[in-house]
Amino acid sequence: MKVPVIIAIALMVHPPSFKEQQLSKPRVKDAYAEKENVIRGYFASKDLVYGDFQLFIRAFKRERLLEAWIRPKNARRFTLLKTFPFCTSSGKPGPKRKEGDLQIPEGVYHLNHFNPESNFHLSLGVSYPNASDKIFSDKKAPGGAIYIHGNCVSIGCIPVTDDGIKELYILAVEAKNDGQQKIPIHIFPGRLDDAGLQTLLSESGTEHASFWTNLKPIFEDFERSGTLSDVVVDAKGLYSVVRTEGGQ
């Protein structure tokens, strides 16, 4: 039997893990070489064990900040691991509603694509449009291809520099490799406590007041509990929080 045939059979019996597939890409391999020990240091500083965790990403457009939250499998609550500043931003507070409007989406999403060969170094796809967006956005051209990525340009995406995306990409790879099928991403116009909402309304007007008021309980639920509840979208496109006992 020829060696390539043996290798092919071995791969069929033991297919490469998601992490192994990603590490076959040069930029991912380089990111691990450069940043994995740095990330281990973040975990140690929070008294967390690196490995076997879930990831939650939360972004605030007004503050231009993206947060990476970690929940070890044996813990109930998430812990804030690292905050990444946006390198730049496009659009303004308010949801994305049409292709070409330059808006960063607002709402409840998850990662839907790992791109190790992105034009912006590395990138993580955001699942826009979601069920709510499909109701409220332009039916013919709602837009799409929204990513968290490297570099420092944006036409509706969230850029966190090449340095930042290396760390975030590793965290996402590790979480998915540990079995997290959906990595949630909540994108808000700003921090939606009472004061934050009033600031948004005073700075940006009341055009999106009802939409932001609908998002507010999602923000408040996580702030209060440190856990993730299910979020559902009704036939009118409105979000509601479904708190299960104990949360995620």
Side-chain angles (χ1 to χ4, degrees), residues 93-108:
K96 183 173 184 62
R97 291 296 183 238
K98 188 175 183 179
E99 183 177 359
D101 63 8
L102 303 182
Q103 288 292 94
I104 297 170
E106 295 172 9
V108 175

Side-chain angles (χ1 to χ4, degrees), residues 4-244:
V5 176
I6 296 174
I7 294 173
I9 293 173
L11 289 174
M12 291 174 63
V13 176
H14 300 289
S17 67
F18 178 74
K19 181 176 178 179
E20 289 169 337
Q21 294 173 38
Q22 288 289 314
L23 282 170
S24 71
K25 305 298 183 180
R27 292 180 195 172
V28 179
K29 183 178 180 180
D30 290 346
Y32 267 85
E34 179 183 347
K35 290 291 188 177
E36 188 170 28
N37 283 337
V38 173
I39 292 171
R40 289 180 183 274
Y42 297 155
F43 274 74
S45 72
K46 302 286 185 175
D47 293 323
L48 297 171
V49 176
Y50 178 68
D52 201 21
F53 61 84
Q54 292 196 340
L55 172 66
F56 166 51
I57 299 170
R58 189 169 69 160
F60 301 101
K61 290 164 57 173
R62 181 179 179 274
E63 292 83 357
R64 294 190 177 191
L65 295 174
L66 183 147
E67 300 172 340
W69 292 78
I70 296 297
R71 185 178 74 85
K73 294 288 181 66
N74 61 354
R76 178 175 175 269
R77 297 172 62 93
F78 282 85
T79 297
L80 179 61
L81 182 73
K82 176 76 184 290
T83 299
F84 301 87
F86 292 17
C87 179
T88 189
S89 187
S90 66
K92 58 187 179 180
K96 183 173 184 62
R97 291 296 183 238
K98 188 175 183 179
E99 183 177 359
D101 63 8
L102 303 182
Q103 288 292 94
I104 297 170
E106 295 172 9
V108 175
Y109 304 97
H110 62 271
L111 291 186
N112 64 356
H113 185 212
F114 286 71
N115 186 356
E117 298 173 335
S118 169
N119 290 332
F120 306 100
H121 195 67
L122 298 166
S123 61
L124 298 166
V126 176
S127 61
Y128 172 90
N130 65 17
S132 175
D133 299 320
K134 288 176 182 177
I135 291 172
F136 289 117
S137 297
D138 185 274
K139 297 299 185 287
K140 293 183 178 179
I146 303 297
Y147 283 83
I148 302 166
H149 60 63
N151 209 310
C152 195
V153 295
S154 175
I155 51 172
C157 296
I158 300 177
V160 292
T161 74
D162 289 358
D163 201 51
I165 196 61
K166 290 173 187 176
E167 296 179 8
L168 194 59
Y169 199 94
I170 290 172
L171 290 172
V173 168
E174 291 293 322
K176 178 161 181 154
N177 198 64
D178 285 338
Q180 188 176 5
Q181 295 303 309
K182 281 193 174 182
I183 298 173
I185 309 165
H186 293 182
I187 305 176
F188 296 106
R191 294 190 179 275
L192 288 180
D193 51 20
D194 291 340
L197 178 58
Q198 288 307 310
T199 298
L200 281 164
L201 294 174
S202 65
E203 291 179 350
S204 303
T206 60
E207 177 186 0
H208 304 297
S210 61
F211 178 71
W212 293 340
T213 300
N214 184 229
L215 288 179
K216 190 171 184 284
I218 302 170
F219 170 83
E220 292 175 328
D221 180 71
F222 183 78
E223 286 289 291
R224 180 175 57 252
S225 68
T227 64
L228 285 172
S229 299
D230 291 334
V231 177
V232 298
V233 175
D234 68 17
K236 295 180 179 179
L238 299 178
Y239 293 103
S240 61
V241 175
V242 180
R243 170 138 293 276
T244 56

